[in-house]
Amino acid sequence: MNFIAVFALAALVMLTTASCDKEPTDLRPELPPVETMAMDFSDFANPPAGMKSSEVSYVNFVLAYTTVSYWNATAVLVSALPVAAYAHLLSQTPEYLGENTWEWSSEFTFNSQTIKATLTGKRLNNEEFSMEMVISHSSMSEEGVLWFDGVARYDHTSADWTIYKEGSIEVLEIAWNKNYETEEADLTYTYVEPEQEETGSYIMWAYIPGEVYDSKYEVSMAEGMTNIEWNVSTIEGRIKSPAYFEDETWHCWDSYANGLVDMVCE
């Protein structure tokens, strides 16, 4: 084989290799928003300001507040770090690793500690891509631990996540859906840590624009089901809890402007 033929063959090999490694930018996953894993508990972040008064009753809102607060605390305990890491990586540009796989990696500060987060995303098909988050202290990056993995749709209409403890024990399953035409959305946390009293318990948040009570929580615990519905603009709402009230009826509270006091349901 003469020199020209060898040169041509080498050039062809280099061209083929470069072509194989070229990033398919049209297939690069756009990470779904942090709301796909972080539930909004802000409307029930605080008890009524007038609770010290003995002249009015706040039983209904307070029950909703304590029910939601339990899940807020549980979610924060297991998801605060991975959610913070994911939120940080949303602003980063991924590196293409080849074979339809991308990596987002960066350091950030969490609770006064420097953390390294690495998120790997891989195209599964024309509709979905998978993700896997490994987190470590920046000084011990080789000892990273799997914190969550999941699958999301390219159109961001759904995402499913699993959050782990110690890298292998499933603790929380998260399922998110959104209709971008109607703006309806829902997000569900299911506690799945094995052999716990509340294993299988869940809270589902849903937003249904146009309804009088346009937001709701459905909460399933070992003691039974609790339903909470409220208006996101006024915070006026109602709660149904057979285990607490020993009935199947709604129990209402007034708007935030009127102090969230108990009132008769209309």
Side-chain angles (χ1 to χ4, degrees):
M1 184 179 293
N2 61 36
F3 175 78
I4 295 177
V6 171
F7 181 81
L9 180 60
L12 179 61
V13 171
M14 292 178 63
L15 180 61
T16 303
T17 302
S19 176
C20 290
D21 291 339
K22 184 178 179 180
E23 178 184 5
T25 54
D26 58 322
L27 300 179
R28 178 197 295 173
E30 178 183 351
L31 298 180
V34 73
E35 69 187 58
T36 61
M37 63 174 67
M39 190 172 292
D40 184 3
F41 296 108
S42 60
D43 287 341
F44 297 88
N46 299 294
M51 277 188 63
K52 294 182 179 180
S53 171
S54 60
E55 299 179 1
V56 293
S57 172
Y58 301 93
V59 170
N60 301 335
F61 181 86
V62 169
L63 179 60
Y65 162 75
T66 54
T67 301
V68 172
S69 293
Y70 169 84
W71 275 98
N72 190 5
T74 300
V76 167
L77 184 64
V78 301
S79 68
L81 176 55
V83 168
Y86 182 77
H88 174 73
L89 292 180
L90 284 173
S91 62
Q92 307 301 311
T93 301
E95 175 187 358
Y96 183 59
L97 303 182
E99 298 184 352
N100 289 325
T101 302
W102 289 260
E103 180 180 274
W104 292 256
S105 184
S106 181
E107 294 184 354
F108 70 104
T109 301
F110 182 82
N111 288 344
S112 301
Q113 295 183 327
T114 301
I115 303 296
K116 181 178 180 181
T118 302
L119 179 68
T120 304
K122 183 177 179 63
R123 177 180 178 270
L124 299 177
N125 50 54
N126 290 336
E127 298 181 345
E128 296 176 318
F129 59 96
S130 65
M131 285 166 286
E132 182 177 286
M133 173 75 82
V134 173
I135 298 176
S136 64
H137 291 281
S138 60
S139 61
M140 299 181 293
S141 58
E142 72 281 357
E143 299 182 11
V145 174
L146 173 66
W147 272 84
F148 71 75
D149 57 22
V151 173
R153 287 182 59 88
Y154 273 98
D155 63 7
H156 292 181
T157 57
S158 71
D160 295 284
W161 312 96
T162 300
I163 295 181
Y164 296 89
K165 181 173 71 174
E166 300 173 3
S168 60
I169 302 173
E170 296 184 3
V171 177
L172 197 67
E173 289 183 349
I174 303 173
W176 179 82
N177 301 281
K178 185 168 184 177
N179 184 319
Y180 285 91
E181 294 183 1
T182 66
E183 293 300 312
E184 293 184 9
D186 62 77
L187 179 65
T188 303
Y189 287 167
T190 304
Y191 181 60
V192 294
E193 185 174 5
E195 300 179 358
Q196 304 297 314
E197 180 181 356
E198 292 295 345
T199 300
S201 297
Y202 70 85
I203 179 171
M204 182 189 75
W205 163 87
Y207 176 60
I208 311 169
E211 297 290 329
V212 174
Y213 298 117
D214 50 11
S215 284
K216 68 178 182 179
Y217 292 120
E218 180 179 291
V219 183
S220 175
M221 304 286 289
E223 65 179 11
M225 183 76 72
T226 299
N227 297 93
I228 302 167
E229 299 180 351
W230 76 101
N231 182 279
V232 294
S233 298
T234 67
I235 316 301
E236 179 181 333
R238 60 185 184 177
I239 184 169
K240 182 191 295 184
S241 178
Y244 182 87
F245 293 110
E246 298 182 345
D247 61 36
E248 294 285 345
T249 61
W250 289 103
H251 299 260
C252 298
W253 66 82
D254 209 342
S255 65
Y256 180 83
N258 290 331
L260 305 172
V261 298
D262 292 349
M263 69 176 189
V264 176
C265 296
E266 295 181 358

